[in-house]
Amino acid sequence: MTRFRNRTAIVTGAGQGIGAATAALLAEQGARVAVVDLRTDRAEAVAREIRDAGGVAAAFGCDVTDEAAVTETTGRVVEEFGGLDILVNNAGITRDNLLFKMGRDDWDSVLATNLTSVYLCCRAAQKYMVEARYGRIVSLSSRSALGARGQANYAAAKAGIQGLTATLAIELGPFGINVNAVAPGYIATAMTAATALRVGSTVEDHQERAAQATPLRRVGQPREVASVIAFLASDEASYVSGQTLYVNGGAR
Ligand code: NDP
């Protein structure tokens, strides 16, 4: 497929879940993909799978909360692939707790990983995108941005992404850079499985309850988010910018 022919993409947190599905889909559709993850071994496994399937991918171990590491990794990707067209800010964590039990470390780490990292990666990427007068940035917000019990840190970070997205669309638009976000509902990944176990449920029961609260009566799959990210990263979405698109099975 030629949708992303001659395009280079960075996908952060691509060692598993939505990020891995996005990396695989962009590669299937012709992009050269930098698979970035905290864990180099996981990034390597995803990149190898993409290459085995005939795609172009390389693994980069990088902590997206580390400013120097983000700058260096972005530079290495540009050097290796000869440019940077697409940035998918996907890396994220949860550290849920009710406010009165939420320690400062859980607040700080969630804000750093889910929000500050997006600022760092966008700032590093825009340098190359502005020069090329072309870019597509897609960041992972969440339905939780609208409010979610036990997720004051995560909801604040994911709502912050929506404000950052709207603002960067204004600042970077004149340079041919589109900036959008997707806000998934419940997607079956290691993140939601860990939440299930933490609240004393089985993964199956937790998913079933989420499905019953969703108009489509099922939870989402990583590939269903990846396909929306791919649309926003493509030239089919060339006049869409500053938007947050909810991918949540119709939940309000
Ligand atoms: P996963 O936990 O399955 O994957 C997240 C990936 O990000 C992991 O590989 C993780 O590595 C990596 N990561 C974490 N911290 C860093 C860091 N500092 N630097 C680089 N990589 C890091 O999550 P999902 O696939 O479920 O979620 C992906 C994104 O989608 C997240 O931003 C999440 O908040 C968002 N989202 C997910 C929803 C869901 O229902 N699953 C719903 C709404 C939004 P490691 O495992 O080594 O920590």
Side-chain angles (χ1 to χ4, degrees):
M1 177 122 171
T2 56
R3 192 188 213 181
F4 296 115
R5 192 173 44 188
N6 293 328
R7 299 280 186 228
T8 293
I10 287 178
V11 184
T12 70
Q16 62 181 25
I18 295 168
T22 303
L25 184 57
L26 295 180
E28 263 172 47
Q29 299 184 338
R32 300 177 286 255
V33 179
V35 180
V36 174
D37 201 272
L38 194 54
R39 295 215 2 214
T40 313
D41 58 332
R42 282 208 195 134
E44 196 50 74
V46 171
R48 198 175 316 116
E49 235 173 82
I50 290 173
R51 289 194 297 268
D52 288 348
V56 178
F60 296 84
C62 173
D63 178 351
V64 293
T65 68
D66 178 337
E67 183 170 353
V70 166
T71 306
E72 199 238 298
T73 302
T74 308
R76 279 172 55 211
V77 171
V78 170
E79 211 172 276
E80 183 149 335
F81 289 136
L84 176 60
D85 307 289
I86 297 163
L87 168 66
V88 181
N89 292 303
N90 168 81
I93 58 169
T94 52
R95 298 285 182 271
D96 298 353
N97 230 327
L98 294 175
L99 178 64
F100 77 101
K101 290 191 281 189
M102 185 178 286
R104 177 68 191 263
D105 49 347
D106 285 342
W107 174 267
D108 286 344
S109 60
V110 166
L111 267 290
T113 307
N114 293 278
L115 182 59
T116 306
S117 71
V118 178
Y119 147 73
L120 292 175
C121 291
C122 288
R123 204 181 52 176
Q126 61 80 34
K127 180 177 154 205
Y128 304 100
M129 292 175 172
V130 165
E131 211 173 280
R133 297 290 193 273
Y134 183 90
R136 297 280 184 268
I137 297 174
V138 185
S139 304
L140 272 289
S141 177
S142 168
R143 198 227 64 94
S144 296
L146 302 174
R149 185 179 160 82
Q151 291 196 312
N153 49 3
Y154 186 77
K158 294 304 192 184
I161 284 181
Q162 299 191 14
L164 182 59
T165 295
T167 300
L168 295 188
I170 293 167
E171 293 187 11
L172 299 176
F175 303 98
I177 302 168
N178 299 44
V179 189
N180 290 291
V182 294
Y186 192 119
I187 309 299
T189 68
M191 181 180 274
T192 40
T195 303
L197 300 179
R198 202 183 48 254
V199 299
S201 174
T202 65
V203 173
E204 293 71 28
D205 285 350
H206 200 250
Q207 289 189 3
E208 184 50 34
R209 274 200 302 280
Q212 287 316 314
T214 303
L216 285 177
R217 292 290 184 269
R218 62 180 180 83
V219 300
Q221 297 301 321
R223 182 87 175 187
E224 296 180 288
V225 181
S227 60
V228 178
I229 295 171
F231 165 66
L232 291 172
S234 78
D235 289 337
E236 288 153 61
S238 51
Y239 206 54
V240 182
S241 197
Q243 304 303 307
T244 297
L245 185 46
Y246 282 78
V247 185
N248 65 358
R252 306 303 300 172

